[in-house]
Amino acid sequence: MDRRQFHTKSLLFGAAALSHSGASAQDATLKAAVIGHTGRGNYGHRLDVIFRDLPNVQVVAVADADSASHETAKKATGASQAYADYREMLAKEKPNLVSIAPRWTDQHFAMGKAALEAGAHVYMEKPFTQTLAEADELLKIAKEKNLKIAVAHQMLLDPKIAKLKESIDKGELGDLQEIRLFGKQDARAGAEDMIVLGTHLFDLARYFVGDAVWCSARISEKGSEITAGSGRSANKEDLGKIAGDHINAYFAMSNGVDLTFQSRPNGGITNGPWGMELVGTKAKVRVFAGHPVKTFWVTAAKIQNYTY
């Protein structure tokens, strides 16, 4: 299953949930729109095409502040209209569903707020927003208007993840004790790695074991502890201010499982590819979070038979 199929399935789930008339996606055609910005985050991981070929969904318009890209955007999205101003598009087209596509997060809050206030459900590229305050406000608006927000964390739809969840629920790992998350730990090691890639893993962890109760962490930048005044731009994209190239975080989860996250320069050399390790009393599983996802099991019997 490729990335486009992941996004399509996740959007179908959200699209079927609600329409403005209260009818399901099987009963009424939903109007969809796409917001991107060529040269300033573009269209993310194919968030321009997630509405195409969906039953009962019509892509009515695309907005891109770079007018020179309108014909390309219309062709990619299947939209009949293109706008330079997404606010104008929302006001005129009144879509039920909006894909907010730019990888850069500098406009996510404004775009998301405008879409929600126009009465549309929102599907947004990750990271969600630049600050927690922005995220809280968007969630508040969505709740008040009975609208849905879905962030493009589609990995839990992979068949191997579904199978792993089933195995956990059946007790095939025994009592799940610990989950270890590892970022890609490349040139983006630390904060950028955590908010761009780590959020996929946090989403999976919540799927497996629920919410975090509290968190503690050690964060440093070039060997020095960060302070309240620390902050820099991301290496590749406009993600707002970030701090730290080395993060070790511990989360106490609501069901008693211990969760850790690590991202440090060159950490992937010894910790292996981006992903997670789930440790139980009967077995442990290493998940490599690529496309497709790969899982590797080690059982207690194999460990006991190992000759030192």
Side-chain angles (χ1 to χ4, degrees), residues 67-279:
S67 299
S69 300
H70 281 184
E71 290 306 313
T72 300
K74 285 169 63 176
K75 183 177 180 180
T77 60
S80 56
Q81 300 292 328
Y83 294 79
D85 186 335
Y86 63 83
R87 292 180 177 86
E88 180 186 359
M89 177 189 74
L90 294 170
K92 288 186 176 180
E93 302 293 344
K94 296 179 173 54
N96 307 110
L97 306 168
V98 173
S99 172
I100 297 175
R103 285 176 59 101
W104 293 12
T105 59
D106 60 323
Q107 299 178 90
H108 277 195
F109 174 72
M111 290 174 172
K113 185 177 181 180
L116 291 169
E117 289 179 340
H121 303 291
V122 170
Y123 189 77
M124 188 181 290
E125 176 66 293
K126 50 79 187 173
F128 183 35
T129 59
Q130 291 198 346
T131 70
L132 294 177
E134 290 179 347
D136 287 342
E137 184 169 347
L138 292 186
L139 293 175
K140 180 182 177 182
I141 296 171
K143 184 176 181 180
E144 290 173 348
K145 292 183 172 290
N146 195 29
L147 295 169
K148 300 291 185 181
I149 298 175
V151 181
H153 296 136
Q154 77 290 350
M155 202 174 297
L156 60 82
L157 295 172
D158 188 284
K160 290 187 178 178
I161 294 299
K163 177 64 176 177
L164 178 56
K165 180 65 164 62
E166 182 182 335
S167 297
I168 293 171
D169 293 343
K170 287 182 177 178
E172 293 177 9
L173 275 73
D175 293 328
L176 186 58
Q177 298 178 322
E178 181 181 2
I179 299 180
R180 304 163 184 162
L181 310 181
F182 303 96
K184 278 198 174 180
Q185 305 183 92
D186 52 16
R188 297 167 291 184
E192 187 172 359
D193 191 10
M194 184 181 73
I195 64 175
V196 172
L197 298 157
T199 52
H200 279 297
L201 305 181
F202 291 126
D203 186 61
L204 284 185
R206 292 184 66 241
Y207 177 55
F208 293 141
V209 297
D211 293 330
V213 179
W214 55 266
C215 169
S216 64
R218 183 180 187 185
I219 306 173
S220 61
E221 183 91 38
K222 296 181 179 178
S224 298
E225 306 291 333
I226 68 166
T227 68
S230 298
R232 61 175 172 83
S233 298
N235 292 326
K236 295 184 65 176
E237 298 166 309
D238 188 346
L239 304 173
K241 273 196 170 184
I242 61 173
D245 61 8
H246 178 185
I247 295 176
N248 268 86
Y250 170 82
F251 300 83
M253 306 304 286
S254 57
N255 68 343
V257 172
D258 296 318
L259 178 74
T260 58
F261 172 82
Q262 175 179 303
S263 179
R264 62 192 304 170
N266 299 317
I269 295 174
T270 54
N271 288 318
W274 171 47
M276 64 198 313
E277 186 174 60
L278 300 93
V279 181

